[in-house]
């Protein structure tokens, strides 16, 4: 899928698909193409972060791990009220147990899968870029 418009807009659209109180959306982009996307789901302690789900979506499409090397991920978050989350920066700390095991921090997970840049929204609607 080629990028028809700003992938940040797509990340916000994907976030709106979430049923969680904090709606997160992630879009993985490489060479002008969207490789995968997903929102967070299964809210609360059993939830799956949008970043994990977007990587899984890439693999569901038949792409391989090497296809992610050098990609960037765009992460957006909005509350049910419509306001932006304080920060949509991927987590950096080990999370609560998910299905009996600890959840690896998203930044580490992304780095291990070759994604080298993240762009995320903050409360005032601005976007921040940083290396993973």
């Amino acid at each position: 899928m080629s990028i028809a418009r700003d992938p940040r807009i797509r990340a916000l659209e994907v976030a709106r698909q979430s049923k969680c109180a904090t709606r997160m959306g992630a879009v993985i982009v490489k060479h002008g193409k969207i490789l995968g996307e997903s929102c967070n789901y299964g809210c609360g302690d059993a939830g799956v972060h949008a970043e994990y789900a977007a990587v899984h979506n890439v693999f569901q499409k038949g792409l391989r791990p090497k296809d992610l090397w050098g990609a960037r991920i765009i992460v957006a978050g909005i509350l049910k009220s419509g306001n932006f989350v304080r920060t949509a920066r991927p987590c950096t700390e080990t999370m609560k147990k998910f299905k009996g095991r600890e959840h690896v921090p998203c930044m580490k997970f992304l780095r291990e899968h070759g994604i080298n840049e993240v762009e995320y929204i903050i409360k005032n609607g601005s976007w921040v870029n940083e290396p993973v």
Side-chain angles (χ1 to χ4, degrees):
M1 169 188 281
S2 62
I3 299 174
R5 61 181 184 278
D6 191 332
R8 295 177 291 186
I9 301 298
R10 182 65 190 147
L12 286 164
E13 291 170 350
V14 171
R16 286 186 182 99
Q17 296 171 12
S18 174
K19 306 280 190 255
C20 300
T22 301
R23 299 171 178 184
M24 304 296 291
V27 175
I28 299 172
V29 179
K30 183 176 177 182
H31 301 306
K33 297 199 182 277
I34 293 176
L35 301 181
E37 62 186 31
S38 186
C39 61
N40 58 329
Y41 60 90
C43 315
D45 290 345
V48 175
H49 289 200
E51 301 92 332
Y52 267 78
V55 169
H56 183 66
N57 180 247
V58 169
F59 299 145
Q60 286 177 320
K61 292 179 175 183
L63 297 173
R64 297 181 296 209
K66 70 177 183 111
D67 296 318
L68 286 170
W69 286 93
R72 68 185 178 110
I73 190 166
I74 295 99
V75 185
I78 52 176
L79 303 172
K80 280 192 175 181
S81 66
N83 295 328
F84 296 120
V85 296
R86 186 175 57 82
T87 178
R89 185 177 191 272
C91 65
T92 56
E93 298 178 16
T94 301
M95 304 301 283
K96 298 175 184 172
K97 295 208 179 229
F98 172 68
K99 293 189 177 179
R101 59 183 188 276
E102 286 186 344
H103 168 76
V104 174
C106 288
M107 287 292 256
K108 180 178 179 183
F109 178 78
L110 296 171
R111 190 171 37 255
E112 289 172 350
H113 283 81
I115 295 172
N116 60 13
E117 182 183 349
V118 62
E119 183 173 3
Y120 57 92
I121 199 165
I122 58 175
K123 188 173 185 169
N124 68 3
S126 298
W127 292 86
V128 177
N129 283 9
E130 68 178 72
V132 172

